[in-house]
Amino acid sequence: MKIKDLEIVKRQQLKEKPSEGVPFGTTFTDHMFIMEYEEGRGWHDARITPYSPLTLDPAAMIFHYGQTIFEGLKAYRTEDDRILLFRPEKNFERLNLSGERLSIPPVDEERVLEYLKTLIELEKDWVPSTPGHSLYIRPFIIATEPNLAVSPSKTYRMMILLSPVGPYFPGGLKPVTIHVEQEFTRAVKGGTGMAKTAGNYSSGYQAQAGAKKAGNADVLWLDGIEKRYIEEVGSMNIFFKINGEVVTPALSGSILKGVTRMSIIEVLKSWGIPVTERRIAIDELYDLYEKGHVEEAFGTGTAAVISPVGELNWGDKKMVFNDHNIGELSQKLYDTITGIQTGRRPDEFNWTVEVK
Amino acid sequence: MKIKDLEIVKRQQLKEKPSEGVPFGTTFTDHMFIMEYEEGRGWHDARITPYSPLTLDPAAMIFHYGQTIFEGLKAYRTEDDRILLFRPEKNFERLNLSGERLSIPPVDEERVLEYLKTLIELEKDWVPSTPGHSLYIRPFIIATEPNLAVSPSKTYRMMILLSPVGPYFPGGLKPVTIHVEQEFTRAVKGGTGMAKTAGNYSSGYQAQAGAKKAGNADVLWLDGIEKRYIEEVGSMNIFFKINGEVVTPALSGSILKGVTRMSIIEVLKSWGIPVTERRIAIDELYDLYEKGHVEEAFGTGTAAVISPVGELNWGDKKMVFNDHNIGELSQKLYDTITGIQTGRRPDEFNWTVEVK
């Protein structure tokens, strides 16, 4: 696809690139992508501009009724200096799925991917070459109509921000301790849990603060109805290796359809390792754990790729997986996925998209 | 309380006041209130400025993780030209309750009420004198730190906007038809349903669009767990008059603690009418309806005060209340509450606060 309708305004004086070790999500590149939507006119005025503040009416609907969706993906620099995206079409597909739930008009997925590629090409010097580093990509859409009526906005803005980031675990993969949340709920069937929308995230802060106070890195969310079935860990999907079989919660309507999650499932299948998407009750997991059947546990997401879980605290019960060490399969999955993402391994699934 | 730390910057050229009949929430007064929060420093820099656009970094946390809360209340002009607020301390109390759930630092409730009174005094010519009209007040707090980490912001902004509004039902109280929502969920125990936070509102748009398409004005939300117990109607609390007794859903943790709701309960008690806060199943309501026991149904909220429900559509079952007419009690409650709010009736509960 050739992009003809994209205006590009370049910054005169480029920023200094940050040194390594800046915290996640705090440094942004020189430029950003913007596009506007107006009812009756559709998406228009796509442009790349210098990274700059956003000016909105204080009555803009995003501030009052939370009509907004976002995505998160990364660009990686290969050893031979190419720039790769990892299944970006899946992110824009999910952006539109989220948009449907939040009554936000869909974007043209292919076109937006071309816009993103143009932006990254312009910012290619920002894609880090240090191993484990990458360029985090944050597309998002916000409702901009200045109106306090509780109804969908007639205008929207889409933006894409780019932020160079270091490794999630600077010292290498490290199993974390997780609190099984029994009081607070992340999402429920019929709600917005399957959508990547802002309100799903801040609603978890109170539980996360409680978990951290008690020495845990994050929370494991249970379903909102029975408070029994495992859903997600922090803002990642979760997997368990049980008796040689890999199990992950089925997409129930309240779980995010992770791109890393689906990739892990496909990789496991290609290796002939049995993988099942099903309901897993926390009491079933504990039972299996007590019998010595739970071999590994790990979260999956764009930020960490694989985040091994070393310990689960469920009320006064504790489960320790693989003696707080990284499981063999967790490590192999991490190496495989990051290998494909960074071009160190052959992309046999045809998942990467090169930015030229 | 004397306010000493409030800076006031007045607009040079005042706006023209709108003619009557402008849509709700689209016209704003000349000035607005702003206050900033910074970790370690607390709330500071309270000021009244000309109403003007907000400038934020596109990475500001409000756009990504929905950490925000708001309130809604009104100022009324009395026939003898005084300006009254209705139980404003309850709104700022609830703002802090919402803030606790969303990990937003509390404001000094008394001080903020003084700021609001100062703002309204400055904008007193904007408080409409036409019966049924009022000045809608929208306090809100947004997370402003530019950071894509999923964690509470270190900086916040509080603002108060003022908007002159007409009557909710321009032709007088009118019973509406409501769809009982069985697919989508507004909130669940352990979630954010009891907090006035942005994400709770846009998450209802899809259900509301479906309901409207089928000829309903709004939806009645059932609990997220059993999809059986009545919670709220649209963004209002709900009441039923059953066999002479008034029943409203108990505050379960997923229902907003409405200021109009609590006022209705107190008025009913003062009249000696039995009023009960309890769980009400939709099937129980239908059963009572079939037996001819349900006399009236109405929603309550700041915008409409009382919104009579003429018809409930629950799957293929239909309940018609009071033959689509306004119930006697609904009308009496409406007249009483609006009478107190506008100074037409004696304020025997000491609910109004005069802006001088």
Side-chain angles (χ1 to χ4, degrees):
Chain A
M1 184 187 271
K2 274 267 177 63
I3 290 298
K4 291 177 182 160
D5 62 348
L6 181 66
E7 191 199 350
I8 300 179
V9 179
K10 288 190 194 170
R11 183 186 284 275
Q12 291 299 315
Q13 179 97 36
L14 297 186
K15 296 181 191 175
E16 211 171 308
K17 306 282 184 300
S19 55
E20 281 173 21
V22 293
F24 174 85
T26 55
T27 306
F28 298 91
T29 67
D30 290 301
H31 301 89
M32 60 186 188
F33 170 80
I34 310 180
M35 180 167 72
E36 312 287 344
Y37 179 91
E38 203 184 310
E39 204 177 76
R41 191 176 168 194
W43 287 105
H44 64 275
D45 205 8
R47 59 203 191 272
I48 288 172
T49 72
Y51 187 95
S52 53
L54 223 160
T55 299
L56 285 172
D57 194 292
M61 285 173 151
I62 171 64
F63 298 127
H64 303 273
Y65 307 127
Q67 201 190 5
T68 175
I69 50 176
F70 71 95
E71 271 302 325
L73 65 162
K74 286 177 174 176
Y76 308 85
R77 187 180 293 276
T78 66
E79 281 165 16
D80 60 349
D81 232 19
R82 294 176 302 130
I83 294 172
L84 299 181
L85 296 169
F86 184 72
R87 313 187 80 177
E89 71 284 358
K90 294 292 178 194
N91 290 92
F92 292 117
E93 189 184 307
R94 187 172 63 185
L95 184 75
N96 277 342
L97 271 177
S98 300
E100 194 186 337
R101 182 63 188 87
L102 271 296
S103 304
I104 291 175
V107 299
D108 180 325
E109 296 170 24
E110 280 180 55
R111 183 172 289 265
V112 166
L113 178 52
E114 291 305 314
Y115 293 145
L116 171 62
K117 285 157 80 173
T118 308
L119 176 65
I120 293 175
E121 211 187 331
L122 180 67
E123 301 289 65
K124 60 177 183 292
D125 293 345
W126 283 90
V127 184
S129 54
T130 316
H133 292 238
S134 57
L135 187 69
Y136 183 79
I137 301 161
R138 169 55 57 90
F140 65 110
I141 299 177
I142 55 174
T144 53
E145 187 188 343
N147 189 337
L148 299 184
V150 181
S151 60
S153 180
K154 291 189 176 67
T155 59
Y156 299 87
R157 171 174 283 199
M158 176 172 183
M159 301 181 75
I160 304 177
L161 312 180
L162 304 179
S163 174
V165 295
Y168 197 80
F169 294 109
L173 278 193
K174 207 181 134 219
V176 291
T177 296
I178 299 288
H179 164 77
V180 181
E181 180 58 38
Q182 296 184 287
E183 182 187 356
F184 294 106
T185 305
R186 177 189 169 272
V188 69
K189 196 162 174 287
T192 58
M194 90 303 289
K196 220 165 162 66
T197 182
N200 289 348
Y201 292 79
S202 52
S203 63
Y205 291 168
Q206 213 178 356
Q208 282 156 341
K212 278 175 192 168
K213 221 172 177 174
N216 303 277
D218 215 324
V219 302
L220 180 75
W221 299 106
L222 301 179
D223 78 282
I225 294 179
E226 297 182 52
K227 283 282 183 202
R228 192 177 163 212
Y229 295 99
I230 292 169
E231 297 224 318
E232 296 190 18
V233 57
S235 45
M236 290 188 277
N237 294 115
I238 179 106
F239 287 76
F240 300 95
K241 185 172 168 238
I242 302 170
N243 265 341
E245 181 195 17
V246 179
V247 179
T248 190
L251 298 174
S252 59
S254 51
I255 293 174
L256 196 76
K257 191 181 172 184
V259 177
T260 311
R261 175 187 181 279
M262 71 175 79
S263 306
I264 294 279
I265 292 172
E266 291 174 54
V267 166
L268 288 168
K269 283 183 176 165
S270 78
W271 290 345
I273 294 178
V275 50
T276 314
E277 299 174 65
R278 66 166 172 92
R279 295 224 292 186
I280 317 161
I282 185 73
D283 50 297
E284 182 201 345
L285 183 76
Y286 188 74
D287 196 47
L288 289 162
Y289 167 75
E290 285 232 291
K291 290 176 181 151
H293 296 324
V294 185
E295 294 148 359
E296 298 184 31
F298 54 92
T300 68
T302 293
V305 182
I306 296 277
S307 173
V309 177
E311 186 178 320
L312 270 187
N313 291 305
W314 176 41
D316 55 4
K317 296 187 179 68
K318 178 186 288 222
M319 302 175 229
V320 174
F321 304 117
N322 204 33
D323 207 15
H324 286 110
N325 294 313
I326 302 147
E328 200 184 317
L329 183 67
S330 307
Q331 184 72 54
K332 194 177 163 196
L333 282 165
Y334 177 81
D335 294 341
T336 303
I337 300 281
T338 57
I340 294 171
Q341 286 170 338
T342 57
R344 287 191 312 270
R345 292 192 177 219
D347 178 15
E348 55 199 70
F349 298 96
N350 207 12
W351 281 340
T352 57
V353 172
E354 188 173 344
V355 177
K356 284 182 202 179
Chain B
M1 183 187 272
K2 275 266 176 63
I3 290 296
K4 289 175 183 162
D5 62 347
L6 181 66
E7 190 198 351
I8 300 180
V9 179
K10 288 190 193 172
R11 185 185 284 274
Q12 293 297 318
Q13 179 97 37
L14 296 186
K15 296 180 189 175
E16 211 171 307
K17 306 279 184 302
S19 56
E20 280 171 24
V22 292
F24 174 85
T26 55
T27 307
F28 298 91
T29 67
D30 290 299
H31 301 88
M32 61 186 186
F33 170 80
I34 309 181
M35 179 167 73
E36 312 288 344
Y37 179 91
E38 203 185 309
E39 204 178 74
R41 190 175 169 195
W43 288 104
H44 63 275
D45 204 8
R47 58 204 191 272
I48 289 173
T49 72
Y51 186 95
S52 52
L54 223 160
T55 299
L56 285 172
D57 194 290
M61 285 173 151
I62 171 66
F63 298 126
H64 303 274
Y65 306 126
Q67 202 190 5
T68 175
I69 50 175
F70 71 95
E71 272 302 325
L73 65 162
K74 285 177 174 177
Y76 308 85
R77 187 179 293 278
T78 66
E79 281 165 15
D80 59 351
D81 233 18
R82 293 176 303 130
I83 294 173
L84 299 181
L85 296 169
F86 184 72
R87 312 187 81 177
E89 71 285 358
K90 295 290 177 196
N91 291 92
F92 291 117
E93 190 184 307
R94 189 173 61 185
L95 184 73
N96 277 341
L97 270 177
S98 300
E100 194 187 337
R101 183 64 187 86
L102 271 297
S103 304
I104 291 175
V107 299
D108 180 325
E109 295 170 24
E110 279 180 55
R111 185 173 288 265
V112 166
L113 178 51
E114 290 307 314
Y115 292 144
L116 170 62
K117 285 157 80 174
T118 308
L119 176 65
I120 293 176
E121 211 187 331
L122 178 68
E123 302 289 64
K124 60 179 183 292
D125 293 346
W126 283 90
V127 183
S129 54
T130 317
H133 292 238
S134 57
L135 187 69
Y136 183 78
I137 301 160
R138 169 56 55 91
F140 64 110
I141 300 178
I142 54 173
T144 53
E145 187 188 343
N147 189 337
L148 299 184
V150 181
S151 60
S153 181
K154 291 188 177 63
T155 59
Y156 299 88
R157 172 174 283 198
M158 175 171 185
M159 302 182 75
I160 303 177
L161 311 180
L162 304 178
S163 173
V165 294
Y168 196 83
F169 294 109
L173 278 192
K174 207 182 132 217
V176 291
T177 296
I178 299 288
H179 165 76
V180 181
E181 179 58 38
Q182 296 184 285
E183 181 187 356
F184 294 106
T185 305
R186 177 187 168 273
V188 69
K189 197 162 173 287
T192 58
M194 89 304 290
K196 220 166 162 68
T197 183
N200 290 347
Y201 293 79
S202 51
S203 62
Y205 291 167
Q206 212 178 355
Q208 282 157 341
K212 278 174 193 169
K213 219 170 178 179
N216 304 276
D218 214 322
V219 302
L220 179 74
W221 298 107
L222 301 179
D223 80 281
I225 295 178
E226 296 182 53
K227 284 279 181 206
R228 190 176 164 213
Y229 295 99
I230 292 169
E231 297 224 320
E232 296 190 19
V233 57
S235 45
M236 291 189 276
N237 295 114
I238 180 107
F239 287 77
F240 300 96
K241 185 171 169 239
I242 302 170
N243 265 341
E245 181 194 16
V246 179
V247 179
T248 190
L251 299 175
S252 57
S254 51
I255 293 174
L256 196 77
K257 191 181 172 184
V259 177
T260 311
R261 176 186 181 278
M262 71 176 79
S263 306
I264 295 279
I265 292 171
E266 291 174 54
V267 166
L268 288 168
K269 282 182 177 165
S270 78
W271 290 345
I273 294 178
V275 51
T276 313
E277 298 174 67
R278 67 166 173 93
R279 296 224 291 187
I280 316 161
I282 185 73
D283 50 296
E284 182 202 345
L285 183 78
Y286 187 75
D287 195 49
L288 289 162
Y289 167 76
E290 284 232 291
K291 290 176 179 150
H293 296 323
V294 185
E295 296 149 0
E296 299 183 29
F298 55 92
T300 68
T302 294
V305 182
I306 296 276
S307 172
V309 177
E311 186 177 320
L312 270 187
N313 291 305
W314 176 42
D316 56 3
K317 296 186 178 69
K318 177 187 290 225
M319 302 176 229
V320 173
F321 304 117
N322 203 31
D323 206 16
H324 285 110
N325 294 314
I326 301 147
E328 199 183 318
L329 183 67
S330 307
Q331 184 72 55
K332 195 177 163 194
L333 283 166
Y334 178 82
D335 293 342
T336 302
I337 300 281
T338 58
I340 294 171
Q341 286 170 338
T342 58
R344 287 193 312 270
R345 293 194 178 216
D347 177 14
E348 56 199 68
F349 298 95
N350 206 14
W351 281 340
T352 56
V353 171
E354 189 173 343
V355 177
K356 283 185 203 177

